[in-house]
Amino acid sequence: MKLFYKPGACSMAAHLLLNEASASYSLEKVDTEAGLTETGAAYADTNPRGYVPALEFASGDVLTENVAILHWLGEQHPELSSDSTGRPLDRFRTLELLSFLSSELHKGFSPYFSGQTFSEDRARENRKKLDAKLGQFDALLNKGGDYLLGDTFSVADAYAFVILNWSNFIGVSLDAWPGTKAYLERIANRPATRKTLEEEGLAA
């Protein structure tokens, strides 16, 4: 498998999971603004929509869209897609979490990476919306356990880590949500996360 990625982008979630699973894969960095991969190839030939991630298989098939790739990885590695108790709804809890992360929490950070300049009023509104999403995420952690599905690290945690880690790049403190801050630090200290950050050139 080959993962097309951009350092620090949501593609990091798939990268992290591949390391968690000790999977065999290669990486190809993408300059999404230039539309080129690090080998000089036109990225549109891999993903016409131009954004990461994309996962290319030995067959030549390509899977795109972050949630689809994360769900596929969870299907290949069931230990990363459910609680260790194996409750029947766990698979759908994972989809529930991925949907929230993609459509709500990720969206809350989007204005900060849009390249736009906002008025003071709009900036306050953006921050208000982000704080609301962070509060909703923090409430998910109150169900108990170290991770979103209890004590088992899952595909949802990989995606959540990447999104929450963006707070370090935009100057948003998580002090108001100590549970979320501790959660982020807990995942950051996992060996697979440290390896992923190093491979993307983002290790401290």
Side-chain angles (χ1 to χ4, degrees), residues 132-154:
K133 301 308 177 186
L134 288 169
Q136 291 169 6
F137 179 85
D138 197 66
L140 293 173
L141 297 176
N142 292 333
K143 297 178 180 179
D146 285 343
Y147 301 106
L148 289 168
L149 287 176
D151 291 320
T152 301
F153 180 86
S154 75

Side-chain angles (χ1 to χ4, degrees), residues 174-188:
L174 297 178
D175 288 347
W177 305 277
T180 293
K181 184 177 182 179
Y183 167 86
L184 182 64
E185 292 172 353
R186 190 156 50 246
I187 298 177

Side-chain angles (χ1 to χ4, degrees), residues 64-169:
T64 63
E65 300 300 330
N66 197 36
V67 170
I69 291 172
L70 296 180
H71 185 56
W72 183 86
L73 288 169
E75 292 284 295
Q76 305 311 302
H77 304 281
E79 72 277 9
L80 294 174
S81 62
S82 66
D83 192 347
S84 57
T85 57
R87 293 171 295 189
L89 272 178
D90 282 346
R91 181 184 178 197
F92 299 96
R93 291 296 183 206
T94 303
L95 284 172
E96 178 183 43
L97 289 166
L98 290 176
S99 296
F100 165 74
L101 293 170
S102 177
S103 65
E104 300 297 333
L105 189 62
H106 189 150
K107 187 188 298 182
F109 280 90
S110 294
Y112 294 89
F113 298 100
S114 67
Q116 298 181 55
T117 300
F118 297 105
S119 66
E120 289 186 10
D121 287 345
R122 181 63 184 276
R124 280 194 296 270
E125 184 64 22
N126 289 341
R127 181 57 191 271
K128 182 179 178 181
K129 289 179 179 178
L130 176 58
D131 286 353
K133 301 308 177 186
L134 288 169
Q136 291 169 6
F137 179 85
D138 197 66
L140 293 173
L141 297 176
N142 292 333
K143 297 178 180 179
D146 285 343
Y147 301 106
L148 289 168
L149 287 176
D151 291 320
T152 301
F153 180 86
S154 75
V155 298
D157 296 300
Y159 190 13
F161 170 79
V162 174
I163 298 171
L164 294 170
N165 194 50
W166 292 337
S167 64
N168 292 313
F169 297 95

